[in-house]
Amino acid sequence: MNDRRTINRRECLGHMGNGCLMLALNAMLQRDAFAASPSGWAPPDGKPHFPPKAKSVIWLFMRGGYSHLESFDPKPKLNELAGKSISETPWAYVQDPERLKKVRVVVVNDANGQQRKELFPLQVGYHKHGQCGAEISDWFPRIGSCADEIAFIRSMWTTDDNHGAQIQFHSGRHMLDARVPTIGAWINYGLGSLSDNLPQFITIGPRYFDVRDGHYLGPAYDAVPLKIDPANPLAYAKPELDVSSQEQAMKFDLVNHLNRLNEASYPGDASMRARIKSYELAYRMQRAVPEVINFNNETATTQRLYGLDNEVTKPFGMQLLAARRFVERGVRFVQIMHGDGAAGAWDAHSQLKVNHEKNAKRVDQPVAGLLKDLKQRGLLDETIVVFATEFGRTPGSQGSNGRDHHPFGFSVWMAGGGIKGGVVHGSTDEIGFHAEEHPHYVTDVHATLMKLLGLDARRLEVPGQKRLDIDYGNPIEQILA
Amino acid sequence: MFRPLLPRLVLVASSLVACSLCAEDVDYQRDIKPILRDRCFACHGVLKQQSDLRVDTGDFLRSGGASGPAIVPGDLKESLLLERVSATDIDERMPPEGDALTADQIALLETWVATGAATPPDEQPQEDPRDHWAFQPPVKVDLPSVVDEPWSHHPIDRLIAAGHREWNLQPVGVVDRRLLLRRVSLDLTGLPPTEEQYASFLNDDSPKAYEHAVDLLLASPHYGERGGRQWMDVWRYTDWYGLGYQLRNSQKHIWHWRDWIVDSLNDDKGYDRMIVEMFAADEVAPTDRETLRATGYLARNYYLFNRTTWLDDTIEHTAKAFLGLTMNCTKCHDHKYDPISQVDYYRFRAIFEPYQVRLDAVPGETDFDKNGLPRVFDLHPEIPTYLHVRGDPKQPDLSEVITPGVPAIFDRGQFEVHPVELPAEAYRPELQPFVLEDQLAEVERVRENLQAELKTANRLRALALQRANTTELLTSLTSDSSLGSAQPETRIWIDDFVTDDAELWEAGPGNWSCTDGNLQQRDIGAERRYMRSRLEHPADFVARLRFRIHGGQKWKSVGLAFDVQGDQEKLVYLSGVSPGSKLQVSYRDESGNVYPSAGRLDRAVALNQTYDLMVAVRDRLMNIVLDGQLVLVYELPVQRMAGFIDLVSFDSLAEFEHVEICRLPEDIELVPTTVAADDNSAKLTLAQADAAVAVCERRLSVCELRPKVLRTAHAADVARAASASSSAEKASELVRAAARAARELELAKAESAVAELRRDLAAARIGNDKKKTTELDKKLSTAMENVKKAAEAIEQPGETYRSLRASLKAPEGPDESEASQLAPYPNTSTGRRTALARWMASPNNPLTARVAVNHIWLRHFGQPLVESVSDFGLRAPRPPQQKLLDWLAVEFMESGWSIKQLHRLIVTSRLYQLDTSRRDADPQTIAADPKNEYYWCRMPIRMESQVIRDSLLTLAGKLDSTLGGPTIDPKQKDKVYRRSLYFTHSRDVQHKFLSMFDDADILRCYRRSESIVPQQALTLANSELALSMAREITARLQEQDGAVSDEEFVVAAFKLLLAKTPTEEERATCGAFLAKLHTLPAVSNAAMPDVRARENLVHALINHNDFVTIR
């Protein structure tokens, strides 16, 4: 990697000026040999702290909370015990108040986020997949066909029993605590860019609870929201009034020319130099981004692989194909949120079967397509794919045919650069209630990513902003290749 | 040197780590003291010495506390500190809160003790936090005498110049005057100067020219808008948001608070007074709506679901915004750094414990969705506050009720709580005079609407009557008229299909047969079958047929054609097709069959049911009666002609029972289409129309009683409120009058309910819905019983009536009952918030003025005097400019906390007027103080998002300078050129353009970010706002200066947009740009190529770094 280029790139996305986030200005001043920070603290230089195993992350987040019991964590016991109250089974202990204490309630007396006592049978069958024989529900057969690439983690837990857990999964903090940077922002902050023309942290799809990422790191580390619409992929990507592209090009030229002339009057003005860079990147970005999400030169086979030939799979498939094209071009972190609605499409309080069957159909083909496509292009070795959700769903039934929010145990998976494929790690108890063996708080996923990308999260700490131990998490060593 | 530790004492895990450490690896200052500071000082330091133990120096550790020495150098076994931090019993373990020390930390401690526990000889104990600079009252130092002439006139300059001299710093010179006016104008009003303002300032040679310009800016109402938006950041302004229409956060109409902020600044209300009003207007000015707006500060924290979250936010941000204290850290435990205990937190919470939020009516509006005043009040003085163990609301410590108070370290006796007796209008807002007037006016509006409804109902009734009369006349023409007044002379023919009548009919296609008085057609499939009359029908006629449909594949249509001649016909039929069953008129024209929508009536068609269809035709006008109801009036758009009648069956097992054709006498008038078009409920029967009129009449009666009800209730309310002082007898007479009126109203309502049921019954009878009819009959008898009871109640009216309501309480939780929401408000307030506000706004409070001055300073200089603007606690080091901060804080308080005066003081200093350019700066100065901590130059400031947009509008001459009022939806289609602070701003609604430039974070915004990202470049380059304003600005420049040369235009544009005269090089660059643009088709083909080119230039200057920068 060209270091000098990296630094330039960081400067223009860097947080400039004399505003509240002095850290980035310090960063720049330091690079320009103006001054050393008095505390000895230095901002990240964009280089990994140790040799990385992967370069980029594609983060797939199923909003609303998919059922671990009907996806990646089969519990046949539930079929046996269906209709029984948990308290009359040998697993009555799972509802011991001490064990339920980790929940932190946001909405008091909510209709949702309750204990559901009556056990509800599995709504779908399971089959073994791949050489590893991992059991995956029949709603995800194509993801199943990639089982040997995937490390399934069946022992996640979180503490928010409502959809604020989405914030928690991304940042590690409960909704009632201060908002802190998300994992994407940390990676954006910690690593230099691999692209001259593209933002390095992109978000696609609906967000609701928290549309920011950078928080105290600053808006420069927020994800850039994109739409998979070549005509209008990002805000203000093209002139809203009639301006010819030649006029626009000349104006960008003039602006930077005048700003450079102005440097004579204001030598050492860091923000002016940052602004010049920002215009250079903006100009390239408004051309590069539509090109990335134009799939004309993708073969029909590739398009089919992502399900672009099918109306059901096409919307998510396009997002994932775009994700591959983005990481191919050096974007570090592509965050894709699946599922409309305030709470998220996977929020199956009733009719879980109908809900999950429908949603799984939308994502199964594209996700498997992504893994296969990354693999055949040799990108899977350097890209980590995360498939996650904010919490699982109750072993007990809500109403007659749904499951409620369940923070005590749930499943996610990871695949790609540095991840061991064909691994099933951790487990919940036999009714899928608590994460029992190797329980992992959500930030363990963050720590795993950081480790694979070559970052020491503790070295990224910012003065005046104390991170808690739980914010860092611990890498899940057992799934590392 | 490697010296393994005795392994027996330590945990296995830590011993493994410890073994790899040796004495050189451990440094007390670097490794040991930070652990102790972070985890132990809070209880064993200068503020608290649990068990008489302090651990903030080596000496203290060695001498120990009540249980003996904490450490014995070299002896791990005897070192209590090690024993306690590695204890596995949670009750034994230190520290008691949070996680245990890590194995690494314990290993460090062990190694340190084992290797002799060296500490520096001159170690200082922890500073007493009470001595912390920010906790001492600020004092005005004597202003230093300054020799350097330009720095000796202004107090700020004298204080700053002393620093310059002390550190041997050479300040840069002052900025160019044009740029200075732009700076101070953007700074004080958020708007750039217009060309006229530039001219008048630059042409003013008097020494007071600048002061004069500043005074004008401070007197402008835009000053309040500018400052208002800044304080809205600090005070976390947000419009309401929730889920859909459910309000979960903040309050509707919270903009009243925004207007209060703007007004207060424009009126230069003292900051101390502003604090009192924001926290306690309901106690200090309980009936003054203007002042009550201030409590929007507290109302904004409303959170539907969780009271603790709500109060936590109130506590955290009150402490941060006004006091610079991070009290939020003490929710779960004592503060790690500051002398604030967990008990202090809950004492602070107790101040807010009783407060709730409500919307009070404002004059002129009775609908709370449209307007209302969000305000706070104390509702539950009895609710006790308990400390939450480890911050867990599920674990209140019930052993002690916490009393309201401020952090003990700051309590010097000024926090005194005195409950406040409220005037009646405060806790019974319905007593305010405008309430009655507004509600009466609202009743009048409703009455007018009801009258209009009644008028409509009467008109519909007249139409129904006309339809009924016509139907009756037509029916009477036919043979089975029950009226007995049959007119045989009009009848042409009649057939009851007793026998096959070959003289009358000629069979067309189809399987026709005549049996048992019925004519049947048994072929199905999409093909026309018919039976044709041998006689022509009269021109104007009435045809009546009764028939049944027994089935069909799809269409199931049966009807009657007339004017049948060759290819021509007109057709009326009933079709049982599903979906889409209907009655339809059709005709033929040159294009074929036409099925006009005006000739269509959607309706259910049942199989095996007898339908009675009567078609009356006069010329082209048709009246169609189905089952005794005139259901369709239609005027044929095609010519009539002589012809035959067809009985038609189309894909239908049809059975005809009766057919007759009559001549339509000339004296019978059919219902014309003009009437039918007016009748939007053609299906209404006369009975229904009658019932509908009755409903309107009854509702109107109810409404007409309301004024009396309102007036008597209001009079009774007023009398009751005053009855303590005046005659109770009079009050009770008024109460009885109110009760009588209430009973009358109840009777009218009961009668109205009866009328409504009768209307429903009439409809149910049409539909022949037995179940519904029975149900309604039952309800009707109950309703009639209610009328009887209500009539009896008038005899004994009693004393109950419904008071007027002019307030809507925000629910205390999602499941609060309506009764509880409607409960009366208390007539006293606890006075706790007043006590808090007076303590905060006291000149003895060391923090309040400093924190405010720091906020104001930050916004003038882009850098604060105290870096951590919301934390003046122990972690905030003594600022380099503390003397200046303190001098200004005292001056601020002495000026009556005048914010305007503070602004004036700051912007009239020479310091404020320094250049942002370091071009001519002294290199040694740059090297010595690169961060400008001693203010030897000015820092450029990126405009806040609102200033960018407002600047564009101003320069384009488009700004709509209307002040205040309801928030504006940023997504509305119409262009809005109001100032940016008036747009709705919440979690869910943000102005897209503003959001690109670090708009205020509604959760916390003590300082705006100033990011520089490519999306901002795209926004200014591509947004319609920037492009269209560039065009407007160009037009104005053209207008101002007439047809000037390109070069002159460039100069004018630079001066207006950037407040600078372009250099030779800039001029040349822009000139070349304009010239080159003319080679582009987009420009050369434009209507006015020169203008188009210049628009591009202006737009480029809007994208110039110095346009978005306050230089």
Side-chain angles (χ1 to χ4, degrees), chain A residues 255-322:
Chain A
V255 169
N256 272 3
H257 194 165
L258 291 176
N259 281 336
R260 285 212 184 81
L261 290 177
N262 205 30
E263 277 193 295
S265 306
Y266 300 100
D269 184 330
S271 42
M272 188 150 62
R273 267 175 297 137
R275 188 154 288 110
I276 291 170
K277 300 282 182 194
S278 80
Y279 271 82
E280 287 170 352
L281 179 56
Y283 187 73
R284 292 194 299 267
M285 214 162 90
Q286 65 173 356
R287 275 155 179 72
V289 169
E291 187 274 316
V292 181
I293 59 179
N294 182 337
F295 305 143
N296 288 344
N297 54 2
E298 293 286 342
T299 65
T301 315
T302 303
Q303 300 206 17
R304 268 200 306 278
L305 195 55
Y306 286 85
L308 265 52
D309 55 338
N310 176 331
E311 287 309 310
V312 174
T313 45
K314 188 176 178 187
F316 199 57
M318 285 173 68
Q319 298 180 357
L320 296 205
L321 178 51

Side-chain angles (χ1 to χ4, degrees), chain B residues 282-283 377-378 418-422 827-833:
Chain B
D282 59 314
E283 293 179 337
F377 67 115
D378 276 0
H418 302 291
V420 179
E421 290 283 331
L422 297 173
N827 57 6
T828 57
S829 192
T830 61
R832 297 178 193 177
R833 286 176 282 107

Side-chain angles (χ1 to χ4, degrees), chain B residues 339-414:
Chain B
I340 307 170
S341 69
Q342 196 190 0
V343 174
D344 284 333
Y345 186 86
Y346 290 90
R347 280 162 59 79
F348 215 68
R349 172 172 165 137
I351 296 171
F352 297 108
E353 197 81 70
Y355 101 82
Q356 291 288 341
V357 180
R358 71 192 210 213
L359 276 182
D360 278 1
V362 294
E365 186 56 69
T366 56
D367 180 351
F368 285 114
D369 275 340
K370 292 189 181 141
N371 200 356
L373 175 67
R375 52 157 293 179
V376 304
F377 67 115
D378 276 0
L379 180 60
H380 296 302
E382 74 288 356
I383 291 184
T385 300
Y386 297 112
L387 183 140
H388 296 169
V389 177
R390 281 190 288 278
D392 182 355
K394 282 179 283 188
Q395 293 191 61
D397 174 1
L398 301 177
S399 66
E400 191 190 350
V401 173
I402 306 275
T403 54
V406 297
I409 186 175
F410 300 112
D411 187 4
R412 298 187 180 115
Q414 306 110 321

